[in-house]
Amino acid sequence: MSITSFRAVSVGALGGLAAFLALGPAASYGAQLFAALIGWAGYMQFGGKLEGLKKSIPHHLCGVLLAAVALVAATRLPYGETIGVAAWTAIAVAVTLVLLVLASKLPALAEWPVSLAAYATLLATTHADDLLALAPNNPALLAALSLIVGAVFGYAAEQLAEALQKLPLPGQKAPSAARS
């Protein structure tokens, strides 16, 4: 079997486990399957392995932080009453997206589309009212944790695929080192 087949099995198994956990036992803790899958995709964007994990996490945190700033500015500052909520929200989003792209000048945040996906994740999964709460149910914290857990699941799936590839199949003496 090819590494692609083993990867398909490991991604399916761990993706199913992530869905079960996010919608079952971890749901009461605010686990977000959508965010976990975006985190997994960000991890893969960096080529996987431990290096992909190390590179994806700062991008996820940057995106969540800037989205939280935009949401707080849009909902907590009084300018929306003066110029209208839609206009003020648009300004807050525009400014934070400019900062997100400018942050890509930093080597640790060079792939701004990964940060943008994390930014969008918080916007898609949050209630702005809870962003300032220093509590375990803070949406920014939950989104960041779910993104990181997703990246970790991506790493685990990759490790599982590689381990499966090394196992001999029935009727096979030893796996070939050159399979792909």
Side-chain angles (χ1 to χ4, degrees), residues 1 8-9 18 21-22 26-27 34-35 42 47 50 56-57 65 72 76 78 80 93 115 128 134 136 138 141 156:
M1 285 177 65
V9 169
L21 292 173
F34 175 75
L50 192 54
S56 65
I57 290 173
L65 174 67
V72 168
R76 300 287 186 199
V93 168
S115 297
L134 293 175
N138 182 302
L141 174 64

Side-chain angles (χ1 to χ4, degrees), residues 49-126:
K49 308 283 184 212
L50 192 54
E51 193 64 25
L53 191 59
K54 289 191 292 188
K55 288 181 177 179
S56 65
I57 290 173
H59 286 79
H60 297 322
L61 296 176
C62 175
V64 167
L65 174 67
L66 289 171
V69 167
L71 285 167
V72 168
T75 60
R76 300 287 186 199
L77 298 178
Y79 302 110
E81 296 169 6
T82 307
I83 64 173
V85 174
W88 178 238
T89 301
I91 291 168
V93 168
V95 168
T96 54
L97 287 178
V98 165
L99 293 173
L100 186 142
V101 174
L102 289 175
S104 71
K105 289 186 173 199
L106 299 170
L109 299 171
E111 296 293 327
W112 67 267
V114 175
S115 297
L116 181 62
Y119 183 103
T121 298
L122 180 60
L123 294 181
T125 60
T126 194

Side-chain angles (χ1 to χ4, degrees), residues 135-161:
N137 66 339
N138 182 302
L141 174 64
L142 295 174
L145 288 174
S146 294
L147 286 160
I148 292 168
V149 166
V152 169
F153 265 74
Y155 179 76
E158 190 169 35
Q159 296 302 306
L160 178 59

